[in-house]
Amino acid sequence: MKPLGPSDPRQVGPYRVFGELGRGGMGRVLLAGGRDGRLVALKLVHAQHVEDPGFRERFRREVNASRRVSGAYTAAVVDADAEAELPWLATVFVPGPSLREAVDSGGPLPGPAAMRLAAGLATALGEIHGAELVHRDLKPSNVLLAADGPRVIDFGVARATDGGTSELTHTGWLVGSPGYMSPEQAESKALTPASDVFSLGAVLYLACTGIDPFMGASTPATLYNVVHSEPDLAPLPEPLRDVVEACIAKAPGERPTPAEVLARIGTVPLAARPWPEPVYELIARQDAAVAAAMENTVAVTEQLPVVPPAPGQWPAPSASGQPSAPTQAAPTQAAAQWPPPANPQPTSTATPYPPSVAESPTQPGLRRRRTLASVGGAAAVAAIGVAVALLMDDHSPAASSASPPASSAADSVPSSGTSSEDATTPDSSTPESSSEAMTSSSSSAQPPSSESASSSSVEPPPPPATTSTHSSAPSCPTNQQAFALAKQLNAGSLPSDAGISVLKCDGGWAVARLTSASVGNAKVVYALQDGAWKAVDLGSDVCSGPVSAAPADVRGAVNC
């Protein structure tokens, strides 16, 4: 759990916020408490979803449907506000690690625990489908292991982000997590409850083996495996092998219903503590973190707000009032030279912009950026020889049980935030790592290209001529502006299938996620210079670059 930063909300609706459980493609998940003393996992929707004219109506409709879901194996919706500036949804807070966290920490579940998990998830899907909902994003990080059994979270809400169908809502964007999508979801076809059953089979495979069943070296390779490849079922325990095999049938009509899955499982032995001991250790650890966050809330809420910087000061002072970086002297004409000459003559003692990227005896040379390469031959990129190979944002991939085809780059997508999944902020190479995977039917139905993405170094952008005060800063850049600025930074070219979503804007800084099905994900950093936004960094790992001087909430938006 992350503590609250100076710019984080302390109150959302009637709920007092204690900390951040995590974040994903749809929004941030906050630990909060209601007036009745009950803890909730409160999902605060990202601003880019609100820009969609139909989002609020879809959000309201799906929340109302989600309220009809009740049962022992789901986290009930207790409150929501679709009309708030940033819509939010509160569900019962379930203490416990996600299945992903439990497997990563303690290894695969033993046979009896896996059977209990399968029965609980099948029961939960029956309840969700009974409310005429399709989960659409069932994955290990959306399954919580509470002390007495599993809980499925985030049901129905993902549908509000994609218009209630499997169609792309933005060019090249599809809701779902690649390694746990059904084949029909990967190909942008209509979804039925059978899609969730396929995801159930993939989740059970991970729980029993610790291996993501369809994981490939890249998002296109993973999607290809989902549509065309079969995982090795030999490692699965006998009682669940037939269940998983039936669930991951490629044709929706060949998969069992949740009720039929339960019939195949049969009677599960009763157990007061269904999980192995390491799971209960994680639960105890989380309970302690929650207690500490609640105790520290008063102190956190009394922190001073971030003070706008005085002229000549960069970046803004911290909450304590002290500048977080050396004061920058007024820039000189020579300071505007970029890149510097081969044998630069010192003309000023000013700290180069940004201070975090200045060379030092322990930091020889500026960090080189890896730039985007469009596989399939984007002529503009090939002409200038600039390409970016991008790494995925989430967990390091486990060994795939299916042999993936060659791919152009290692890429993935970010995780969909929920009260469970976001209790741990996943890395970007996990196949479930995004609720917004950039893909198309052609990318999943055909093997990815075997061309390897080239990369070349690009010098950092020029320093600002002056330092702007953030109090007069314009609003955050729009997604369209952010795309144009990133394209300008990347030598005037981006892959034809690239899309950008602005994630956070604060204190003269902004960050965005750039996603491309052909080469993967990247992060883009923007800084306010001379009263205008400029892209100052782009790559799969931007944490050691200019963004290190940004406010904590901006750095956190790109997992820095």
Side-chain angles (χ1 to χ4, degrees):
M1 183 185 306
K2 291 177 58 177
L4 296 174
S7 62
D8 286 331
R10 266 54 184 182
Q11 190 85 13
V12 176
Y15 297 95
R16 185 179 187 183
V17 179
F18 299 121
E20 181 181 301
L21 294 170
R23 62 181 66 202
M26 184 177 172
R28 302 171 64 195
V29 178
L30 307 172
L31 176 67
R35 292 169 181 158
D36 59 358
R38 175 173 50 180
L39 288 176
V40 298
L42 190 147
K43 174 162 285 185
L44 195 62
V45 173
H46 282 321
Q48 66 260 30
H49 295 307
V50 183
E51 295 175 3
D52 180 350
F55 173 78
R56 290 184 187 273
E57 177 56 34
R58 294 196 304 271
F59 184 85
R60 185 184 305 108
R61 183 174 63 249
E62 298 305 324
V63 166
N64 289 338
S66 298
R67 289 180 186 271
R68 300 197 300 267
V69 178
S70 62
Y73 298 107
T74 56
V77 174
V78 297
D79 203 356
D81 187 354
E83 306 306 323
E85 181 179 357
L86 292 179
W88 54 267
L89 168 75
T91 62
V92 172
F93 174 68
V94 179
S98 69
L99 175 62
R100 166 66 66 182
E101 183 183 1
V103 171
D104 288 349
S105 176
L109 297 181
M115 293 289 287
R116 178 69 176 269
L117 174 70
L121 297 186
T123 301
L125 286 183
E127 295 162 353
I128 293 169
H129 297 165
E132 300 182 348
L133 286 173
V134 177
H135 191 294
R136 310 170 82 82
D137 199 22
L138 182 66
K139 55 188 176 183
S141 56
N142 274 344
V143 175
L144 294 181
L145 302 187
D148 60 345
R151 301 289 190 279
V152 173
I153 61 167
D154 220 15
F155 45 86
V157 178
R159 187 170 178 175
T161 66
D162 75 341
T165 72
S166 62
E167 298 175 358
L168 301 178
T169 51
H170 309 285
T171 302
W173 289 82
L174 180 67
V175 170
S177 302
Y180 293 88
M181 286 182 179
S182 64
E184 59 269 28
Q185 190 173 6
E187 294 184 304
S188 305
K189 296 179 179 178
L191 300 188
T192 66
S195 177
D196 288 342
V197 174
F198 185 94
S199 301
L200 169 63
V203 168
L204 293 178
Y205 189 100
L206 177 281
C208 294
T209 66
I211 298 172
D212 296 292
F214 300 104
M215 184 63 180
S218 64
T219 297
T222 298
L223 293 171
Y224 179 87
N225 289 342
V226 166
V227 176
H228 299 288
S229 300
E230 300 288 349
D232 179 12
L233 300 179
L236 295 175
E238 186 60 41
L240 284 178
R241 188 178 304 161
D242 293 342
V243 172
V244 171
E245 183 177 19
C247 288
I248 60 174
K250 302 301 183 185
E254 296 178 2
R255 299 171 202 151
T257 65
E260 290 170 342
V261 170
L262 285 171
R264 289 173 182 245
I265 293 171
T267 302
V268 177
L270 297 176
R273 291 168 68 88
W275 313 124
E277 199 57 36
V279 172
Y280 292 99
E281 294 174 2
L282 291 174
I283 294 173
R285 205 176 304 162
Q286 186 184 64
D287 287 343
V290 168
M294 295 175 68
E295 292 174 0
N296 293 335
T297 297
V298 174
V300 172
T301 55
E302 291 176 354
Q303 288 182 356
L304 294 174
V306 175
V307 180
Q313 191 178 50
W314 186 267
S318 65
S320 64
Q322 299 300 318
S324 55
T327 301
Q328 179 173 323
T332 63
Q333 183 175 2
Q337 283 185 302
W338 199 272
N343 298 297
Q345 300 298 319
T347 58
S348 170
T349 59
T351 304
Y353 170 79
S356 60
V357 299
E359 295 188 21
S360 69
T362 60
Q363 186 182 1
L366 292 169
R367 179 179 60 86
R368 301 285 182 177
R369 288 193 306 273
R370 304 179 69 187
T371 55
L372 287 170
S374 175
V375 176
V381 179
I384 59 177
V386 178
V388 181
L390 294 166
L391 300 176
M392 302 179 80
D393 293 345
D394 295 321
H395 296 290
S396 297
S400 173
S401 60
S403 299
S407 71
S408 59
D411 40 57
S412 182
V413 282
S415 119
S416 169
T418 69
S419 58
S420 64
E421 148 197 359
D422 294 310
T424 61
T425 304
D427 247 313
S428 59
S429 55
T430 301
E432 60 182 280
S433 56
S434 169
S435 64
E436 295 175 295
M438 284 199 61
T439 180
S440 66
S441 58
S442 60
S443 71
S444 61
Q446 300 178 4
S449 169
S450 60
E451 294 182 25
S452 60
S454 61
S455 63
S456 60
S457 300
V458 178
E459 293 293 343
T466 61
T467 301
S468 301
T469 59
H470 301 156
S471 58
S472 59
S475 60
C476 290
T478 65
N479 291 342
Q480 292 81 2
Q481 291 171 331
F483 185 92
L485 293 171
K487 184 175 181 180
Q488 181 180 3
L489 176 63
N490 199 55
S493 180
L494 290 174
S496 59
D497 63 351
I500 275 186
S501 292
V502 176
L503 302 177
K504 189 70 178 180
C505 176
D506 187 22
W509 293 87
V511 290
R513 179 187 298 117
L514 190 154
T515 316
S516 166
S518 58
V519 298
N521 296 345
K523 300 156 186 173
V524 190
V525 180
Y526 305 85
L528 193 65
Q529 300 178 13
D530 296 327
W533 289 105
K534 294 183 180 179
V536 297
D537 199 9
L538 184 155
S540 58
D541 181 8
V542 297
C543 294
S544 60
V547 78
S548 60
D553 57 338
V554 175
R555 298 196 307 273
V558 287
N559 297 327
C560 293

